[in-house]
Amino acid sequence: MIDMENHLFRSLALTGFLGGIRKLHLFLSYLIEIFERLLNQEKIHIYFLESILPQALWVAGK
């Protein structure tokens, strides 16, 4: 009987542990997705500024 209870406890503990890891994985994946979106947003702004830089320099030179 003791072995069965021990096995049940280990099984439940492992299930809880794996559930915690799964939640952590989902949370970290969500953070990475947000970070990637922010980086892509910054790239768009940089590309825009690079595209107007020659025109800005031309206007400043006049």
Side-chain angles (χ1 to χ4, degrees), residues 29-46:
S29 297
Y30 181 68
L31 286 180
I32 290 171
E33 183 180 334
I34 290 172
F35 184 66
E36 286 176 342
R37 286 182 189 174
L38 288 173
L39 284 179
N40 286 335
Q41 221 172 25
E42 290 299 318
K43 285 180 189 178
I44 290 170
H45 294 303
I46 291 171

Side-chain angles (χ1 to χ4, degrees), residues 9-23:
F9 174 76
R10 286 183 184 175
S11 176
L12 291 174
L14 182 60
T15 302
F17 177 72
L18 292 177
I21 288 182
R22 189 173 297 121
K23 288 178 184 176

